[in-house]
Amino acid sequence: MKQLILFALVGMALQAQAANPHKEALQGPFTTGTQVTIECLKCHEEQATDMMKTSHWTWELEQKLPDRAVVRGKKNSINNFCTSISGNEPRCTSCHAGFGWKDNNFDFTDKTKVDCLVCHDTTGTYVKDPAGAGEPMAKLNLAKIAQNVGEPVRDNCGSCHFYGGGGDAVKHGDLDSSMAYPDRATDVHMDSDGNNFQCQNCHTTEKHQISGNAMGVSPGGIDHIGCENCHDSEPHSNKKLNTHTATIACQTCHIPFFAKNEPTKMHWDWSTAGEDKPESVDQYGKHTYQKKKGNFVWEKMVKPQYAWYNGTANAYMAGDKMDPNAVTKLTYPMGDIEDPKAKIYPFKVHTGKQIYDKNLKVFITAKTYGKGGYWSDFDWDLAAKLGMEANSTMLEKGLKYSGEYGFAATEMWWRINHMVSPKEQALNCNDCHNKGTRLDWQALGYQGDPMKNKQGPKHKQQ
């Protein structure tokens, strides 16, 4: 009996040590993130090498758009939130998985700049400086954090992905702070009292390569994940419902709304920035006007827009010509009713109005943050000049700010994959068919409700 108790105590001790083996290895004190990483590299240099091959580190990815091959990512894409990171690095790279990316001189080969803690902190206390080029906030107990590392949880991923675009729920709409500990109605998979999926349950990871590509920055990415990874092609007991899976994405019926708890930004008009008028807020307490950013529209419990999507997308690239009299789609899905690979998917469509060069007919990557930035000087000419000078893509194409700017309409399409509702809250037949108005059949290429009108292509008939 004593031997059994002794073995049990030894086993418990080994389990505790195995669960947290870093207290002996990482003594500290540490005053910088780099100091922690230097210690991590003594045992985990291979992991750092793997990490540096990922787009979480490079912020770019080789990909094919319908008409060309590109190298694209957060590093060089133009969005209609803060326009671009060029010239704004210390602010934007606060979400980089590294330390010290202040400008184009950042050394992407320096392993000591990899931020291990942002993904592996389990204390919930690790916070990056919002304008510190990825450095951690001062006065953090980095030794305690380093001694308590572990597998990532939703909060780790969410520290950046919930707050993309400058705040909670600004960018995605289906990723926000409510997804850290969601209830069943918010997301049936991540329900913290139910399935309690962590991000990597679906975004499976090998050698730090995390599966999945966001259409906004990687429209040509082919590393897709989907419902079929866990569910078969005939998931319903109802055969009629199963016929829909050839045409309708699972998300279309099972994510009837996004931004369920936190309002998401749906429109950003930069053209009104700089006006000397009172700042205002809406019913959610969100700004509808800020002098340094312009006008906003926020929405909650948003019904998605729907479009055909065949797994590929297209995008505007820095330096591309644009038509100021048309709406420029910065990212958008490919596919139509004639495409046998396409299905109807739900999207958040974010609209905006942003600065462009009147003579070059290209969108400007404006400098908004820091010395000479628009948020400091409220001078669009200076912000345009400095931002274009900081953009390596513009420089490679020989594009310099001409001295004349205007504002033009844009939109970005973001595919909705999260906030999956319980099956009893999914769309039903009459939401789309009969008198249902959920889907705009004619906009999707049908002559009318396909339940009544069978004149569409055979492979799309239900």
Side-chain angles (χ1 to χ4, degrees):
M1 184 67 179
K2 289 182 179 180
Q3 284 182 321
L4 289 175
I5 294 174
L6 178 60
F7 285 138
L9 290 173
V10 170
M12 290 173 64
L14 288 172
Q15 284 181 345
Q17 184 179 11
N20 194 356
H22 292 82
K23 287 188 176 180
E24 296 296 327
L26 301 173
Q27 292 294 306
F30 303 113
T31 58
T32 68
T34 296
Q35 289 176 350
V36 175
T37 298
I38 289 172
E39 291 300 306
C40 297
L41 290 172
K42 291 179 179 179
C43 296
H44 300 291
E45 185 173 1
E46 182 180 348
Q47 285 76 14
T49 299
D50 290 338
M51 173 63 189
M52 293 168 72
K53 297 175 183 177
T54 73
S55 57
H56 274 90
W57 173 256
T58 63
W59 274 18
E60 64 183 17
L61 180 71
E62 292 183 4
Q63 49 192 296
K64 290 184 178 180
L65 300 182
D67 57 347
R68 54 189 159 168
V70 300
V71 177
R72 177 187 167 91
K74 290 179 184 289
K75 183 188 289 185
N76 63 354
S77 61
I78 292 182
N79 61 63
N80 57 7
F81 298 91
C82 292
T83 73
S84 173
I85 76 166
S86 296
N88 305 308
E89 285 86 353
R91 180 66 183 86
C92 299
T93 57
S94 62
C95 264
H96 183 237
F99 308 119
W101 184 358
K102 297 179 180 179
D103 52 37
N104 289 333
N105 296 316
F106 180 69
D107 185 357
F108 286 92
T109 67
D110 187 349
K111 294 178 183 178
T112 69
K113 298 303 181 184
V114 173
D115 185 352
C116 308
L117 299 182
V118 70
C119 294
H120 294 287
D121 166 45
T122 67
T123 68
T125 63
Y126 186 75
V127 181
K128 282 176 171 275
D129 185 331
E135 300 287 353
M137 291 285 285
K139 299 183 179 179
L140 292 180
N141 189 339
L142 293 177
K144 180 180 179 181
I145 295 169
Q147 291 166 0
N148 291 277
V149 292
E151 292 186 359
V153 295
R154 291 186 297 269
D155 269 334
N156 296 100
C157 305
S159 64
C160 285
H161 290 286
F162 296 164
Y163 302 94
D168 193 4
V170 167
K171 184 187 292 184
H172 292 285
D174 62 341
L175 288 173
D176 59 39
S177 59
S178 71
M179 294 291 280
Y181 300 95
D183 57 16
R184 185 170 180 269
T186 299
D187 190 286
V188 72
H189 295 117
M190 296 189 181
D191 174 17
S192 55
D193 293 322
N195 291 315
N196 198 31
F197 280 16
Q198 302 304 319
C199 301
Q200 58 267 38
N201 280 95
C202 293
H203 294 274
T204 54
T205 304
E206 183 176 356
K207 293 186 175 181
H208 283 79
Q209 292 282 354
I210 301 173
S211 61
N213 293 129
M215 203 178 85
V217 291
S218 300
I222 58 174
D223 184 15
H224 298 304
I225 62 173
C227 307
E228 62 276 7
N229 287 16
C230 293
H231 303 280
D232 62 35
S233 60
E234 296 183 351
H236 309 99
S237 57
N238 184 305
K239 291 184 179 180
K240 186 63 176 177
L241 287 180
N242 284 332
T243 64
H244 285 63
T245 60
T247 306
I248 309 292
C250 304
Q251 295 92 320
T252 296
C253 294
H254 290 276
I255 312 178
F257 299 97
F258 60 89
K260 294 179 179 179
N261 304 295
E262 299 295 329
T264 188
K265 190 173 287 186
M266 298 296 293
H267 181 74
W268 187 332
D269 183 354
W270 279 100
S271 71
T272 60
E275 297 178 5
D276 288 319
K277 61 183 182 181
E279 295 194 349
S280 54
V281 296
D282 60 14
Q283 68 268 36
Y284 309 117
K286 297 291 188 178
H287 277 102
T288 55
Y289 179 76
Q290 284 183 294
K291 181 178 179 179
K292 70 178 186 178
K293 294 183 178 181
N295 283 94
F296 310 119
V297 174
W298 299 81
E299 294 181 20
K300 195 173 177 180
M301 286 297 287
V302 183
K303 182 176 75 172
Q305 291 193 42
Y306 300 95
W308 293 105
Y309 175 61
N310 63 14
T312 65
N314 209 345
Y316 176 92
M317 294 290 293
D320 285 354
K321 295 291 184 181
M322 46 76 70
D323 179 358
N325 298 311
V327 177
T328 300
K329 294 182 178 182
L330 299 181
T331 57
Y332 55 98
M334 302 299 293
D336 56 41
I337 192 173
E338 301 291 348
D339 187 341
K341 294 183 179 179
K343 295 184 180 184
I344 298 171
Y345 273 85
F347 294 87
K348 171 185 172 177
V349 181
H350 182 276
T351 60
K353 204 170 184 182
Q354 61 200 94
I355 189 170
Y356 76 97
D357 189 301
K358 281 189 171 183
N359 295 311
L360 296 175
K361 297 292 192 296
V362 300
F363 282 107
I364 291 170
T365 55
K367 180 175 176 61
T368 55
Y369 173 81
K371 185 177 180 181
Y374 185 78
W375 293 346
S376 302
D377 292 37
F378 295 99
D379 184 341
W380 277 122
D381 275 311
L382 180 60
K385 178 178 180 294
L386 294 177
M388 294 280 274
E389 288 176 349
N391 189 303
S392 58
T393 301
M394 297 296 195
L395 294 176
E396 289 170 3
K397 293 184 176 183
L399 298 175
K400 296 182 179 180
Y401 174 53
S402 72
E404 291 189 62
Y405 68 87
F407 292 88
T410 57
E411 63 184 34
M412 288 190 77
W413 290 64
W414 297 83
R415 191 153 63 102
I416 297 297
N417 291 306
H418 309 91
M419 296 192 177
V420 179
S421 294
K423 62 181 179 180
E424 60 270 17
Q425 295 176 14
L427 297 181
N428 61 48
C429 301
N430 288 331
D431 285 314
C432 300
H433 298 291
N434 298 318
K435 295 182 180 180
T437 58
R438 173 65 68 146
L439 295 183
D440 184 339
W441 294 114
Q442 290 188 340
L444 290 167
Y446 293 95
Q447 294 185 20
D449 184 347
M451 196 171 184
K452 300 177 181 179
N453 188 320
K454 299 293 185 179
Q455 295 178 12
K458 290 183 179 180
H459 68 273
K460 296 300 181 188
Q461 290 180 9
Q462 297 172 2

